[in-house]
């Protein structure tokens, strides 16, 4: 797992001048790369990739030995990568806007959404450069004394106040300017700390009726705090819509609404961490469905934060799916498992909840929480699903081992 430590840095005057120059040179590189992409697109509809631009770096450095040539090659690659991220987000917005226009359909007023092309960064707002540790950058932790040091190519050995211990293996060092202050952001990666084996392996089904069910019969209910929060949010939203636009009251209500959402997100994340922790502590191997929740809920238009106006039943179901937050839970679980040396197996979700776990017959699903096998009768849908997931992942029968 990666962690970031943001520490105040105190460059000397000459170091500061060089740091300002570093930012300026990287800003130039960023803007030149942006211009290249822009012109290639305008003149010949050609898309330029990160790979294309990175390949030109060698040449750029060679012709400008006192400028670009002085800087760390890998740091320059990181700056080009930053631009690449900006473009990836831009293309995503373009696709989304196109989809929106298609969905609006004929006869309806098309949603006018203009998507801004990535802009040049003014020098004042280009405020950080990322170095890869061990390549043009070195970190020396505070050793008994007060100062730690970051040695950065083309800047020098800058002292930093290590107000808390930097743990883990140092991966990158970022030099950042905020107003008149300077910071070094040290990003580290934690070594895995393997937990003792438990000889328990489970399939896990996440569902709507229940948050999760394991193949050996453990059940975790959906957290109920979401219901209460939903009521408060709906109420605040109604009041905000009635408030006069631009009024102080409306502003206050919007702030209250944002706070309410923040609270829900925090509670949900906390719940996911605790639930994942318990599973990782108690299982060697965890199998679960590779759910692309986004695909399942996309049709409801809008997110949990900004629900669309849909058929009530469908919106209700989608709401519960989003509230359960499976994708977040999955990524938390995978991260925890990784750092504990546990195994996570993601299986394809097709039919895991509809086939009978014991005989494989196709079941019917009269209700969300029940499947009916022609041979074995009523089964708990989630438990049946969890056992199918375990089998699919190759974890034997998926049922509890005999004691
Ligand atoms: Zn059956």
């Amino acid at each position: 797992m990666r962690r970031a430590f943001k520490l105040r840095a105190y460059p000397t005057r000459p170091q500061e001048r060089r740091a300002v120059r570093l930012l300026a040179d990287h800003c130039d590189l960023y803007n030149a790369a942006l211009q290249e992409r822009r012109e290639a697109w305008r003149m010949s509809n050609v898309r330029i990739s990160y790979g294309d631009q990175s390949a030109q770096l060698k040449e750029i450095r060679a012709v400008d030995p006192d400028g670009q040539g002085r800087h760390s090659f890998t740091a320059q690659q990181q700056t080009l990568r930053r631009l690449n991220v900006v473009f990836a987000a831009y293309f995503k917005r373009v696709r989304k806007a196109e989809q929106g226009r298609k969905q609006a359909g004929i006869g309806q007023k098309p949603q006018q959404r203009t998507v801004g092309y990535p802009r040049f960064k003014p020098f004042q707002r280009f405020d950080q450069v990322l170095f890869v540790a061990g390549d043009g950058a070195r970190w020396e932790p505070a050793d008994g004394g007060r100062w730690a040091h970051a040695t950065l190519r083309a800047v020098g050995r800058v002292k930093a106040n290590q107000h808390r211990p930097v743990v883990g293996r140092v991966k990158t060092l970022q030099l950042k300017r905020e107003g008149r202050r300077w910071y070094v952001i040290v990003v580290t990666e934690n070594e895995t700390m393997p937990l003792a084996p438990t000889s328990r392996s489970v399939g896990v089904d996440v569902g709507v009726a229940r948050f999760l069910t394991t193949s050996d019969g453990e059940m975790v209910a959906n957290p109920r705090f979401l219901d209460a929060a939903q009521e408060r949010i709906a109420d605040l939203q109604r009041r905000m819509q009635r408030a006069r636009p631009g009024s102080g009251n409306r502003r206050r209500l919007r702030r209250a609404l944002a706070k309410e959402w923040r609270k829900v997100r925090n509670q949900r994340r906390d719940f996911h961490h605790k639930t994942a922790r318990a599973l990782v502590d108690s299982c060697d191997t965890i199998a679960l469905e590779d759910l692309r929740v986004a695909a399942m809920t996309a049709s409801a238009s809008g997110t949990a934060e900004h629900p669309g106006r849909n058929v009530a039943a469908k919106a209700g179901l989608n709401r519960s799916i989003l509230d359960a937050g499976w994708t977040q839970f999955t990524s938390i679980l995978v991260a925890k498992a990784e750092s504990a040396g546990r195994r996570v197996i993601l299986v394809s979700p097709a039919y895991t909840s509809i086939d009978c776990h014991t005989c494989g017959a196709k079941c019917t699903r009269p209700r969300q929480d029940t499947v009916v096998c022609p041979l074995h009768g009523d089964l708990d849908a989630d438990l049946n699903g969890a056992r199918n997931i375990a089998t699919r992942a190759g974890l034997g029968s998926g049922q509890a081992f005999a004691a």
Side-chain angles (χ1 to χ4, degrees):
M1 271 203 277
R2 291 199 159 203
R3 285 180 70 182
F5 303 85
K6 185 176 175 184
L7 310 172
R8 180 92 185 265
Y10 297 90
T12 62
R13 279 289 168 82
Q15 284 175 344
E16 187 171 20
R17 274 198 297 277
R18 290 197 291 270
V20 168
R21 172 96 191 270
L22 171 83
L23 290 180
D25 286 347
H26 274 261
C27 183
D28 280 348
L29 180 68
Y30 182 94
N31 285 334
L34 171 57
Q35 185 168 17
E36 190 197 10
R37 285 185 183 233
R38 206 173 193 168
E39 282 176 356
W41 182 249
R42 203 174 42 206
M43 292 166 147
S44 42
N45 268 22
V46 167
R47 269 194 198 181
I48 298 210
S49 69
Y50 162 77
D52 298 332
Q53 300 199 307
S54 176
Q56 295 173 47
L57 263 180
K58 207 171 159 190
E59 204 180 316
I60 291 170
R61 292 163 58 84
V63 299
D64 187 14
D66 300 326
Q68 297 295 343
R70 302 176 312 127
H71 297 298
S72 155
F73 187 79
T74 47
Q76 288 173 320
Q77 284 181 319
Q78 296 302 326
T79 293
L80 292 179
R81 237 179 227 134
R82 242 170 99 183
L83 178 68
N84 202 47
V85 170
V86 168
F87 267 88
Y90 164 69
F91 290 129
K92 201 171 157 192
R93 285 199 305 275
V94 169
R95 274 196 300 278
K96 221 171 164 187
E98 274 166 6
Q99 265 169 20
R101 274 195 288 276
K102 262 185 218 143
Q103 274 170 11
I106 311 154
Q108 278 175 301
K109 197 175 147 201
Q111 252 186 321
Q112 281 300 328
R113 258 202 287 187
T114 51
V115 178
Y117 195 84
R119 296 183 191 190
F120 292 109
K121 268 205 193 291
F123 165 66
Q124 313 85 273
R125 280 188 36 223
F126 194 93
D127 56 6
Q128 53 186 309
V129 169
L130 194 150
F131 291 86
V132 176
D135 191 359
R138 194 158 49 95
W139 175 248
E140 298 163 69
D143 189 16
R146 192 172 156 226
W147 299 105
H149 289 90
T151 307
L152 307 170
R153 176 148 172 202
V155 177
R157 188 167 175 264
V158 182
K159 58 183 186 179
N161 184 5
Q162 191 182 314
H163 62 274
R164 60 185 173 133
V166 171
V167 291
R169 196 155 22 93
V170 176
K171 303 295 286 182
T172 61
L173 293 168
Q174 241 161 298
L175 182 67
K176 187 164 197 279
R177 176 179 58 189
E178 277 181 20
R180 284 186 195 161
R181 297 183 171 201
W182 293 86
Y183 294 89
V184 174
I185 299 165
V186 185
V187 175
T188 67
E189 206 168 60
N190 268 9
E191 310 290 342
T192 62
M193 292 191 287
L195 295 172
T198 62
S199 78
R200 181 188 180 206
S201 293
V202 294
V204 173
D205 191 32
V206 285
V208 173
R210 218 178 276 135
F211 182 73
L212 71 78
T213 308
T214 66
S215 53
D216 57 6
E218 187 187 334
M219 289 164 189
V220 178
N222 263 324
R224 288 294 81 181
F225 56 76
L226 294 168
D227 285 346
Q230 198 168 310
E231 254 170 59
R232 286 196 300 271
I233 284 165
D235 176 55
L236 280 167
Q237 250 159 4
R238 268 193 303 276
R239 281 163 61 196
M240 198 177 82
Q241 268 150 22
R242 280 200 299 265
R244 196 161 43 79
S247 65
N249 189 33
R250 197 185 172 101
R251 222 173 25 246
R252 263 192 302 284
L253 284 166
R254 186 166 41 230
R255 263 203 301 274
L257 200 54
K259 194 173 155 195
E260 208 51 63
W261 272 118
R262 203 158 52 233
K263 213 165 102 187
V264 174
R265 279 198 297 273
N266 290 341
Q267 282 176 318
R268 192 168 47 199
R269 193 178 312 112
D270 187 51
F271 171 75
H272 287 164
H273 273 288
K274 282 182 181 146
T275 310
R277 176 84 272 151
L279 264 181
V280 166
D281 282 350
S282 65
C283 304
D284 293 337
T285 306
I286 301 158
L288 70 168
E289 286 177 313
D290 188 4
L291 289 172
R292 300 280 177 251
V293 177
M296 288 172 64
T297 58
S299 56
S301 108
T303 63
E305 329 273 0
H306 305 281
R309 289 197 189 89
N310 253 323
V311 187
K314 182 155 196 194
L317 176 63
N318 278 290
R319 171 68 64 83
S320 337
I321 291 172
L322 286 164
D323 278 354
W326 297 335
T327 38
Q328 175 175 284
F329 175 71
T330 307
S331 58
I332 289 173
L333 182 68
V334 168
K336 284 197 196 307
E338 210 169 79
S339 68
R342 303 296 209 206
R343 202 152 64 107
V344 172
I345 302 171
L346 295 172
V347 303
S348 153
Y351 307 119
T352 49
S353 51
I354 299 184
D355 295 347
C356 169
H357 169 69
T358 312
C359 68
K362 184 131 285 168
C363 301
T364 56
R365 192 166 191 171
R367 293 196 309 276
Q368 187 70 39
D369 61 353
T370 308
V371 292
V372 182
C373 170
L375 237 74
H376 294 92
D378 283 19
L379 304 167
D380 182 297
D382 291 347
L383 183 58
N384 185 58
R387 289 180 174 171
N388 281 335
I389 289 166
T391 308
R392 191 166 289 225
L395 303 179
S397 73
Q399 296 182 35
F401 294 103

